[in-house]
Amino acid sequence: IDSTSNYIEDEYCFTLGNLATICSIRTNYEKADAYFSILFKKIPTEITQQNIALTLNYITNLNKLKQYQKCNEEMQHALIVFGVKIKSFSQFKTQEIVVACYLNDIKKLGTLLAIDFENLQPFERIFYRLFYCIYFLMQEEFELAFTEIQNLQRSKLMNEIDAHFSEIAQFMFICIKHLTAKGWKNRLSEKANNEIKEANLKIIQANIPMFLNYTPYLWMKEKIGL
């Protein structure tokens, strides 16, 4: 594009935003962050703030980089810029859940999860229900978490609609089963650890990039010590 064009900055923003998003989807979160950094430094805010998707993808990438506090700050800023409109996007809601979880804001996490699941897409419902398990685990309400994961496994979601999530659900089930018996503070037996590792290996062998970077799965892996 001619450097004198009135549209050069718009196109530059579009290109950098696409590059950043593609890198993030391909799990190259550091490279994505580098493109986002260039974008927000070089492109005027009146242009970047016209694009909610750009902000949503940036927020998501920050969470993938485990920069939860920075992500929280960017989300608060996004609410100022875009108002309640941005809260209507499911991507914003799911990233709110991730931030609340990793910043250990249990009260906010409970509030975010208290919605009508029937209004969600099937894959979103699974995400929310897995985080309900996490919500209970964070409060050491292991029996409630165990009931929730069993209900999910028996649901139509798992058996008819999104059955490819079954390995994730099974991994969560096995982890929660042993936590229900032992809690967080007591060391798991060698048999329990082997069972957890076997369930984890099935996810790795399935080699589905989305699942290898799926937040509920990553949270449980971290907490269980894998």
Side-chain angles (χ1 to χ4, degrees), residues 24 26 112-113 189 202 204-205:
S24 189
R26 292 176 176 173
L112 292 170
L113 293 172
S189 68
K202 289 181 179 179
I204 295 170
Q205 289 174 335

Side-chain angles (χ1 to χ4, degrees), residues 7-207:
Y7 303 105
I8 186 73
E9 288 182 329
D10 295 281
E11 294 298 329
Y12 195 32
C13 178
F14 178 78
T15 301
L16 285 168
N18 275 348
L19 286 169
T21 302
I22 289 167
C23 287
S24 189
I25 290 170
R26 292 176 176 173
T27 72
N28 194 339
Y29 306 121
E30 291 81 8
K31 193 170 185 179
D33 191 59
Y35 281 125
F36 278 124
S37 180
I38 295 169
L39 192 157
F40 289 120
K41 284 178 183 176
K42 294 201 175 241
I43 307 299
T45 55
E46 58 265 27
I47 293 176
T48 59
Q49 290 178 359
Q50 291 176 8
N51 192 334
I52 289 183
L54 189 66
T55 296
L56 290 170
N57 291 338
Y58 177 52
I59 286 168
T60 302
N61 197 69
L62 286 174
N63 271 341
K64 295 297 184 182
L65 287 169
K66 301 185 178 181
Q67 297 182 19
Y68 306 114
Q69 188 57 53
K70 184 176 181 181
C71 183
N72 189 45
E73 292 166 5
E74 290 295 334
M75 294 182 90
Q76 298 311 309
H77 179 66
L79 284 169
I80 294 170
V81 173
F82 299 108
V84 294
K85 183 179 180 182
I86 198 167
K87 290 183 77 71
S88 66
F89 287 81
S90 62
Q91 189 176 351
F92 188 85
K93 294 175 184 176
T94 55
Q95 298 313 308
E96 273 191 306
I97 289 170
V98 172
V99 167
C101 175
Y102 277 97
L103 294 183
N104 204 36
D105 192 341
I106 298 174
K107 183 178 179 181
K108 183 174 182 181
L109 181 59
T111 301
L112 292 170
L113 293 172
I115 64 169
D116 183 359
F117 283 13
E118 294 304 314
N119 295 327
L120 300 173
Q121 295 293 321
F123 71 92
E124 292 173 329
R125 258 181 273 171
I126 293 170
F127 182 89
Y128 273 70
R129 291 188 68 173
L130 289 175
F131 261 103
Y132 246 118
C133 294
I134 290 171
Y135 171 68
F136 292 134
L137 291 173
M138 290 172 74
Q139 300 178 89
E140 300 192 6
E141 294 180 347
F142 300 110
E143 292 290 347
L144 289 175
F146 195 46
T147 299
E148 181 65 25
I149 193 63
Q150 289 180 92
N151 288 341
L152 175 59
Q153 286 186 303
R154 288 193 290 261
S155 72
K156 185 178 179 181
L157 285 170
M158 286 288 104
N159 296 294
E160 296 180 27
I161 301 172
D162 271 319
H164 57 292
F165 277 88
S166 60
E167 296 294 357
I168 295 287
Q170 180 64 13
F171 173 76
M172 296 287 284
F173 167 81
I174 291 171
C175 290
I176 295 169
K177 178 182 72 174
H178 292 301
L179 287 170
T180 301
K182 290 285 188 178
W184 289 116
K185 297 174 184 177
N186 297 313
R187 186 175 179 180
L188 296 179
S189 68
E190 184 179 351
K191 181 181 178 181
N193 279 319
N194 287 338
E195 195 175 345
I196 290 168
K197 288 176 183 177
E198 186 179 338
N200 183 54
L201 183 61
K202 289 181 179 179
I203 295 172
I204 295 170
Q205 289 174 335
N207 196 30

